[in-house]
Amino acid sequence: MIPVAALLGIPPAPREVVARYPGDRPATFSLSDPARLRDVLVRAGFADASVEPARVPQDFGRTADEAAEALLASGPARYLVEQDELLSRGGRRGPGWRPR
């Protein structure tokens, strides 16, 4: 959420990021609304479904460069970088540029 919010230039608030994300909601955020998630679970047959936030530490690399590479090469952040030439790693992308 935080890298995508930074690329969008907005605070890292889940609802704000989902609302401002261009195009279709990325799968990563498709269930970020607790009410929608609860509805999906109830429809799937889970009785009395409840939703609570969970904070899970993630390791994206040993260095800031490794973390940036991992975050910019996957999912919603990659999509944003691919859509806007000014959001590439080195300023403007040249022909043949693609995330590693």
Side-chain angles (χ1 to χ4, degrees), residues 20-97:
R20 303 270 299 272
Y21 196 84
D24 294 334
R25 286 184 181 168
T28 304
F29 304 136
S30 67
L31 298 174
S32 63
D33 178 3
R36 175 164 156 44
L37 178 55
R38 191 176 306 106
D39 182 56
V40 168
L41 291 171
V42 169
R43 286 192 206 189
F46 291 91
D48 299 323
S50 65
V51 178
E52 296 180 24
R55 295 198 182 271
V56 180
Q58 293 179 304
D59 182 5
F60 292 103
R62 293 171 295 189
T63 66
D65 286 342
E66 287 178 6
E69 283 291 322
L71 291 167
L72 290 174
S74 64
R78 178 179 179 174
Y79 173 80
L80 289 173
V81 169
E82 289 174 348
Q83 301 307 304
D84 188 332
E85 296 216 0
L86 297 178
L87 293 178
S88 69
R89 290 184 212 138
R92 292 197 173 271
R93 297 189 301 244
W97 180 92

